[in-house]
Amino acid sequence: MAAVALAGSPQASAEVTVTPRTATAQTAPQQATSRQAQAVRPNAVPAPPSGFTTTWSDDFNGAANTGLDTGTWRYDAGEGWTFGTGEIETMTNSTANVYQDGNGHLVLKALHSGSDPNAGWTSGRVETQADGFGAQPGGVVRMQASIQQPNVTTANGAGYWPAFWMLGSPLRVGVPWPGSGEVDILEDINGRSSVFGTLHCGTNPGGACNESSGVGSGERACSGCQTGYHTYAVEIDRSTSPEQIRWYLDGANYFTLSSNQVDATAWHNAVDHSFYIIFDLAIGGGFPAAFGGGPNAATVSGGSLNVDYVAVYNKAAPGTTGTNIAKGKPTTASSTESAQFPASNATDGDVTTRWSSAFSDPQWIQVDLGQNYDLTHATMVWEAAAASAYQLQTSTNGSTWTTVYSNSNDPADIQDTGLSATARYVRINATARASQYGDSLYELALYGNPSSGGGDPGGPGTATLLSQGRTATASSSENGSFTAPNAVDGNTGTRWSSAFSDPQWLQVDLGASHTISQVKLNWETAYATAYQIQTSANGSTWTTVSSTTTGTGGNQTLNVSGTGRYVRINCTARSTQYGDSLWEFQVYGT
């Protein structure tokens, strides 16, 4: 979308000189391709292409005239000139301009009021909250959408500028455009029944990507794209040498750009990281003006960009497939920014949720795989607020750590590394941040096979964490913010806290009888000095399997031997005037 410096950045300036992208800016050998319109609208998000998996998608199935889920999308509201492209509209979050139509579409509508064609325009621009969409080293990512361009023509569409594009996530933490990267998947201007595909990189003006024009396809025919839905896609392919970006219209590859066609450093900084996705419908600006656009007195109000679906598909590097053994496993961290960003988000298999730490160094996040594995490789997908220096460390007992991979100041926020280690516990030890924010991780994925070397020396062997997510109850809670389920949710940022009296208890129902081998306690500052770990078959008759009157709080691991469906901690004396308070109560067994 951005034909000028700083597009999409809050630092964008109206004074930036506009250099339009024209057909003369292309570098690829393909000639413009014309094809008959395909007006068929898919009914749902398509299955991934062969060899790919679906990473994320949105089918826009909200009720008629409703806005977007702001957990998934953010509105880029504000005056168009602030984007640095010369646009004249004001972007809003009103359902007059941005809405779901009840028939499975996102609609961005440009509206005009008044008699001056160069004033009084409103429209819509939205971008994904998540910015972790990209290709792994050695892999491929495909961003794809089914779109109907505004149903205008060159006679009444002067000034219309629809776009589907993506910006490099480093932009969100202050890395300037165009060095942070931009890939334009679809642009058209002035109702010309065209499509432009472009990469922006390097420095502005000039630089490796001929900014502010960028390096792109030039204008390609897109017959019928105003009257029907067509599929627009781009693939970033890091499995080939040189790397490639490929642009597609209705499945046909109409333009390819290779990394050896631009400066290697500029390419790496602009392409080899994550992106976030943007849809918008601009009015006016340098790009439409370069093709004789307006708007003018004939420009119609009410044209809309209609999106049927958007999807991100990924293909892993050869030899890096398999089952993610970290998914859903107990995950803890040194800190969390807030309850919205717990450690468990980094191992939930969802690249749109994330763990975020406090805004200081160092920080860590670790996952307990439940038993030893022979690890083969790890994938880390960082948010824009990444760690610039970190070590991937492994352990068989959760206390003695071995560094198996180190990263220092690589701008790439998607990392995949081979591993040759046997471990039950894996952690990222982040020692320096890339921004003023915390360390923020979308996903830590681990791959390997159960170790033939047995269990965890000094730990619960091949025991499984039984308590996480199970039904937990307590004798009391300090208030509604500190209830019993918080102690078994796998989140060290939430806790159970009792009333300020003795005795108190917390118990978990494992759902069936198990052999119990270990209990782990992660106490808040207000801990119990005297307590018993007890088991029960029926929740009423209890057997004590561990007891102390000299508890010291902190993290305690208790090796026990017992059988039961119910396990509880019976606290008989407190260390403070406050209640008994546990971040986590973990029960292991078979």
Side-chain angles (χ1 to χ4, degrees):
M1 173 64 182
V4 298
L6 300 179
S9 166
Q11 290 80 30
S13 168
E15 286 73 40
V16 177
T17 301
V18 174
T19 304
R21 285 164 290 175
T22 67
T24 60
Q26 59 185 304
T27 60
Q30 292 92 336
Q31 299 300 312
T33 301
S34 177
R35 59 179 54 80
Q36 190 65 30
Q38 297 181 8
V40 176
R41 170 187 174 267
N43 293 320
V45 178
S50 178
F52 286 79
T53 58
T54 302
T55 300
W56 171 82
S57 66
D58 196 337
D59 207 14
F60 304 110
N61 284 326
N65 201 39
T66 59
L68 292 173
D69 176 3
T70 53
T72 303
W73 297 92
R74 63 176 68 171
Y75 292 87
D76 292 336
E79 296 184 24
W81 66 266
T82 63
F83 302 127
T85 52
E87 304 164 33
I88 63 171
E89 83 292 332
T90 296
M91 296 297 190
T92 83
N93 60 6
S94 167
T95 52
N97 298 115
V98 183
Y99 61 93
Q100 296 176 88
D101 69 355
N103 293 311
H105 304 101
L106 164 66
V107 180
L108 305 182
K109 180 174 290 188
L111 298 172
H112 182 247
S113 61
S115 58
D116 184 353
N118 289 295
W121 286 94
T122 60
S123 192
R125 168 171 160 155
V126 296
E127 62 186 56
T128 56
Q129 294 280 5
D131 55 24
F133 306 131
Q136 296 177 11
V140 187
V141 66
R142 181 182 179 95
M143 282 79 162
Q144 178 174 306
S146 176
I147 299 171
Q148 180 182 352
Q149 294 187 28
N151 191 10
V152 296
T153 67
T154 53
N156 65 0
Y160 271 80
W161 186 2
F164 164 41
W165 49 305
M166 55 193 192
L167 283 168
S169 61
L171 185 69
R172 285 186 168 171
V173 293
V175 176
W177 186 93
S180 52
E182 174 182 331
V183 180
D184 300 323
I185 306 170
L186 153 68
E187 291 183 280
D188 185 31
I189 33 85
N190 305 330
R192 293 173 63 91
S193 296
S194 303
V195 60
F196 295 77
T198 310
L199 168 69
H200 293 276
C201 74
T203 58
N204 183 68
C209 279
N210 186 36
E211 299 301 347
S212 55
S213 295
V215 179
S217 65
E219 186 172 15
R220 301 298 178 95
C222 192
S223 177
C225 288
Q226 276 75 28
T227 56
Y229 285 87
H230 292 254
T231 301
Y232 303 85
V234 73
E235 288 183 354
I236 297 175
D237 188 346
R238 301 180 65 189
S239 70
T240 65
S241 183
E243 294 181 359
Q244 293 182 344
I245 305 177
R246 297 184 290 267
W247 281 260
Y248 296 84
L249 175 61
D250 292 325
N253 174 208
Y254 70 88
F255 178 58
T256 299
L257 182 66
S258 297
S259 59
N260 60 0
Q261 293 177 258
V262 301
D263 173 77
T265 298
W267 178 279
H268 177 64
N269 290 342
V271 176
D272 294 340
H273 54 58
S274 296
F275 292 84
Y276 55 98
I277 291 171
I278 304 175
F279 292 103
D280 77 306
L281 179 55
I283 297 294
F287 194 17
F291 284 74
N296 56 39
T299 302
V300 66
S301 173
S304 63
L305 175 71
N306 301 333
V307 185
D308 179 42
Y309 71 83
V310 57
V312 178
Y313 306 107
N314 276 89
K315 180 188 291 185
T320 64
T321 57
T323 300
N324 175 12
I325 57 177
K327 184 177 179 181
K329 297 295 176 63
T331 308
T332 56
S334 53
S335 67
T336 54
E337 177 185 343
S338 70
Q340 184 180 356
F341 306 113
S344 56
N345 281 356
T347 53
D348 63 358
D350 183 351
V351 78
T352 67
T353 65
R354 59 187 174 92
W355 163 68
S356 182
S357 76
F359 296 1
S360 62
D361 297 319
Q363 302 289 340
W364 55 262
I365 182 171
Q366 78 179 49
V367 58
D368 178 357
L369 301 176
Q371 68 178 84
N372 282 339
Y373 283 83
D374 295 328
L375 301 172
T376 57
H377 70 104
T379 300
M380 290 148 284
V381 181
W382 293 92
E383 198 242 356
S388 61
Y390 61 89
Q391 303 84 48
L392 190 64
Q393 301 176 322
T394 61
S395 174
T396 58
N397 56 21
S399 58
T400 304
W401 297 92
T402 300
T403 297
V404 293
Y405 171 78
S406 293
N407 178 78
S408 182
N409 206 34
D410 189 321
D413 52 9
I414 301 178
Q415 300 282 351
D416 190 279
T417 181
L419 297 177
S420 180
T422 297
R424 170 176 173 164
Y425 302 88
V426 180
R427 79 173 178 184
I428 297 174
N429 186 44
T431 52
R433 290 165 294 141
S435 72
Q436 72 270 36
Y437 307 107
D439 299 295
S440 187
L441 185 69
Y442 283 117
E443 280 297 302
L444 168 62
L446 298 170
Y447 301 87
N449 299 298
S451 175
S452 59
D456 172 6
T462 57
T464 299
L465 176 60
L466 304 170
S467 53
Q468 187 161 311
R470 294 292 184 176
T471 301
T473 54
S475 52
S476 65
S477 296
E478 178 183 343
N479 59 46
S481 297
F482 305 114
T483 58
N486 288 348
V488 293
D489 64 358
N491 180 4
T492 56
T494 65
R495 61 187 172 94
W496 163 67
S497 182
S498 75
F500 298 0
S501 62
D502 297 320
Q504 301 290 340
W505 54 262
L506 171 79
Q507 76 180 48
V508 58
D509 178 357
L510 303 179
S513 181
H514 292 271
T515 298
I516 310 303
S517 57
Q518 192 176 80
V519 173
K520 291 187 177 184
L521 306 173
N522 183 353
W523 292 100
E524 198 248 355
T525 306
Y527 61 92
T529 56
Y531 58 86
Q532 303 85 47
I533 303 299
Q534 301 175 321
T535 62
S536 174
N538 54 21
S540 58
T541 304
W542 296 93
T543 300
T544 297
V545 295
S546 179
S547 179
T548 185
T549 58
T550 57
T552 58
N555 289 287
Q556 297 177 320
T557 298
L558 308 174
N559 293 321
V560 302
S561 178
T563 301
R565 169 175 172 167
Y566 302 88
V567 180
R568 79 172 178 181
I569 180 169
N570 185 45
C571 302
T572 53
R574 292 165 294 141
S575 62
T576 71
Q577 71 270 38
Y578 305 108
D580 301 295
S581 185
L582 279 166
W583 295 109
E584 282 294 299
F585 178 56
Q586 295 181 322
V587 178
Y588 292 83
T590 55

